[in-house]
Amino acid sequence: MKKRQLNLLDVFSISTGAMISSGIFVLPGIAFAKSGPAMILAYLLAAILIIPSMFAKSELATAMPKAGGVYFFIDRAMGPWLGIFGGFANWFSLSFKSAFALIGMGAFAVLIFPDINIIQIKTIAVIVCLLFAATNILSVKVSGKIQVVLVFVLLFILTFYVSRGFISTHPDYYVPFMPDNFSSIISTAALIFVSFGGLTKVASIAEEVDNPGRNIPLGMLLSFSVVTLLYLLVVGVTIGIVPAEELRNSTIPLSIGAGHLMGKPGIIILSIAAMTAFITTANAGIMSASRTPMAMSRDQLLPEFISRVNKKTNTPVISILLTCTFMIIVIVFLNIENLVKTASSLMIILFMMNNISVIVMRESRIQNYRPKFKVPLYPFMPIFAIISYLYLLFNMGLIPILISSAFLILGILIYYFYARKRIKRTSALMHVIKRISAKELKSTSLEDELRDIVMTRDEIVEDRFDKLIKKCDILDVEKSIEINELLKEVSLKFEMQCKIDKNILIKGFKEREEQSSTVLKPGLAIPHIVIPGEKCFHIIPVRCKKGINFPNVKEPVYTMFVLVGTLDERSYHLRALMAIANLVQESGFNERWMKARNVEELRDVILLSNRKRES
């Protein structure tokens, strides 16, 4: 089993580092020009709008902690051609924003080194890109630890800036608080919404996170809380210490603010903080973006060689190099202003598709979709998010929407001319269609994959009971039935497995039932007998939705586990009874058992239980 190397602190640092960059060091001046001091409310509104996507990503990532994040979720929810679009959109968006962050260092480097030119800035950006490519190849753990150090240095400097500036604010700088109407706050929120976009990018490396069911949602929630509070405090303090004419449209607002507080040393300290922020954004972007081509290659949507990993470090070398090469081309050759807008538009589209994916996965009612965290207020929160993001998207302009449409067309072309012949998996959307049309799906590929994901996520190591369940017969009885009639059917199956005459088995079950009822509690029975021979033990689980009738028992039985074993298996016989007792006492077992739609889903209910397993 692949070792997961990233802990809660790493998740927090990656999410935080991916958020704190231009959103706080560049955009406040532009936001102030649009809405004045009320931009504080715009930052708060943008934070509120990101909450549904944070919850959606948390649910999807805890259910499917796989490399590729948003690509994987969209592909499994809505199908491969939309998955290809999501993959390319995610990779493009992250790569461009990471490249933009590295170039963005230049505006602050000039404050420290006035003679630096654009060629030198781009050279430094390329060197930093190569440095992080090397650390990502060396180890995701090493890269994660570098991120932790950089993020905490950044948080310390910004906290110092807030605490020092708070006592120096001028109350009259906040008047008038809202020079325009509330619509200016909404348009400003749309502008700075992308500042929070990095929050959910940690889902792309969910496969490398230890205890993802806890650490991903908790890490994102902690990061969101800290960064939102920091944004509001930093913006509030900056408004209070920088005159409006200086702050309006400034691209270095915090450095100007620090200059008012501490002179030249303050400008240098905040410029260093800004460059640190851009570096953390770039590092988090490389870590996240590089996992998308790897995941698409695994799924045969891209050539196989892209998914190769270093055997010693388990890092996707080719995918990292591909991502960094693309970033270097962007840094050196492209004017990326319009492309950054496109990247922001794609990010909003991906947020929409994440929320749609949650709805599709939930409504597919696939038993093996088992998130550790669930979106609250479902389905109202995802629907609210989709409507809100549509509004933001149409405020981005025509060119980004057209380029985003080109990505969609690219996904369709790659699917039809390359991927369609190579893949046969089904999506959750097909399960929703199946429910509506009342038609059966022949393929169980998604259920099987989700079962394997849950077993890996929960570190389930199969014991002998699991292996018996994997190959045993399972009976799903539609009608109400008498126990003696059902035991005849069960004995016929055991006859083939144990090579013992079914009449001997029937007699044994009847005698066992006459001695004492095997109904252990309302709705549950475990008939079990010892059979002649040696080295033989078998089990048949049974579900009967309309009930199995036992003599002298008032309540019908809906769940039954039938066991047979030879005398030399007596010890395991008892351990199997304990395993069943542990299984049926698990919270939610009865609900999942009765809702299972077929025999294979019944099997998965048992295999994915959290019962204590033998070592």
Side-chain angles (χ1 to χ4, degrees), residues 440-458:
E440 281 296 319
L441 279 180
K442 293 181 180 179
S443 174
T444 60
S445 58
L446 183 57
E447 294 98 316
D448 296 340
E449 183 177 30
L450 289 174
R451 180 186 62 236
D452 293 340
I453 289 172
V454 172
M455 293 184 76
T456 301
R457 180 195 69 188
D458 295 346

Side-chain angles (χ1 to χ4, degrees), residues 88-109:
F88 276 116
N90 189 48
W91 183 69
F92 179 91
S93 178
L94 282 171
S95 298
F96 257 93
K97 284 187 172 294
S98 298
F100 176 66
L102 292 175
I103 295 176
M105 293 190 303
F108 297 89

Side-chain angles (χ1 to χ4, degrees), residues 246-294:
E246 287 187 59
L247 181 56
R248 189 175 289 110
N249 285 318
S250 170
T251 57
I252 51 170
L254 269 62
S255 295
I256 293 175
H260 279 274
L261 293 173
M262 295 172 281
K264 185 68 173 179
I267 293 174
I268 292 174
I269 291 171
L270 262 294
S271 297
I272 291 172
M275 289 189 286
T276 302
F278 285 124
I279 289 171
T280 60
T281 296
N283 184 41
I286 292 170
M287 290 175 71
S288 301
S290 60
R291 270 54 181 182
T292 299
M294 178 183 75

Side-chain angles (χ1 to χ4, degrees), residues 336-593:
I336 61 174
E337 183 177 350
N338 279 332
L339 295 174
V340 168
K341 276 191 174 182
T342 302
S344 299
S345 298
L346 289 170
M347 185 195 73
I348 293 171
I349 292 171
L350 291 172
F351 282 159
M352 287 174 53
M353 296 179 78
N354 275 322
N355 283 276
I356 294 170
S357 295
V358 168
I359 294 172
V360 171
M361 293 303 298
R362 289 273 196 106
E363 297 308 313
S364 70
R365 299 185 185 176
I366 297 173
Q367 278 272 14
N368 295 349
Y369 177 70
R370 298 189 179 193
K372 292 283 188 178
F373 174 92
K374 288 190 174 183
V375 172
L377 302 177
Y378 175 87
F380 303 107
M381 186 172 285
I383 292 171
F384 165 76
I386 293 165
I387 296 170
S388 301
Y389 298 155
L390 277 171
Y391 175 80
L392 293 178
L393 185 63
F394 284 112
N395 275 276
M396 297 299 291
L398 182 61
I399 292 176
I401 293 174
L402 290 175
I403 297 176
S404 301
S405 300
F407 272 91
L408 182 61
I409 294 170
L410 176 65
I412 295 171
L413 292 175
I414 291 176
Y415 173 70
Y416 277 102
F417 292 104
Y418 179 82
R420 185 173 57 166
K421 297 176 183 178
R422 291 173 168 81
I423 55 176
K424 295 182 180 178
R425 62 179 177 272
T426 56
S427 66
L429 184 60
M430 295 303 297
H431 287 259
V432 176
I433 294 170
K434 184 203 77 171
R435 280 184 53 212
I436 296 171
S437 63
K439 292 181 179 179
E440 281 296 319
L441 279 180
K442 293 181 180 179
S443 174
T444 60
S445 58
L446 183 57
E447 294 98 316
D448 296 340
E449 183 177 30
L450 289 174
R451 180 186 62 236
D452 293 340
I453 289 172
V454 172
M455 293 184 76
T456 301
R457 180 195 69 188
D458 295 346
E459 298 182 348
I460 294 174
V461 180
E462 290 182 354
D463 60 7
R464 185 180 175 186
F465 187 81
D466 289 314
K467 292 174 182 176
L468 284 168
I469 294 298
K470 266 191 166 183
K471 63 182 182 181
C472 74
D473 291 311
I474 297 179
L475 295 183
D476 191 13
V477 183
E478 295 292 333
K479 61 181 182 178
S480 178
I481 192 171
E482 299 298 319
I483 180 59
N484 288 335
E485 183 182 347
L486 181 57
L487 287 175
K488 290 178 182 178
E489 189 175 345
V490 169
S491 297
L492 185 61
K493 292 188 177 294
F494 279 137
E495 181 181 48
M496 293 182 283
Q497 296 170 350
C498 305
K499 310 301 180 187
I500 295 177
D501 186 88
K502 66 177 184 298
N503 293 316
I504 296 175
L505 295 168
I506 293 169
K507 182 181 178 183
F509 282 122
K510 284 183 177 179
E511 289 176 352
R512 174 66 185 84
E513 205 63 41
E514 288 170 0
Q515 291 172 8
S516 62
S517 176
T518 55
V519 177
L520 301 186
K521 66 175 187 177
L524 173 70
I526 309 180
H528 53 283
I529 59 171
V530 177
I531 59 175
E534 59 182 21
K535 295 181 180 180
C536 180
F537 188 88
H538 291 283
I539 181 170
I540 294 179
V542 181
R543 177 182 69 175
C544 182
K545 287 186 176 180
K546 294 187 177 179
I548 307 164
N549 300 312
F550 279 70
N552 304 319
V553 176
K554 292 182 180 179
E555 294 285 333
V557 167
Y558 304 101
T559 305
M560 191 165 76
F561 291 85
V562 189
L563 283 63
V564 297
T566 52
L567 190 60
D568 57 331
E569 292 282 3
R570 188 64 180 170
S571 175
Y572 185 73
H573 195 122
L574 295 173
R575 297 205 302 275
L577 289 172
M578 289 295 293
I580 294 168
N582 190 239
L583 168 71
V584 297
Q585 289 173 14
E586 183 183 2
S587 175
F589 169 80
N590 285 331
E591 182 182 3
R592 287 192 293 271
W593 183 255

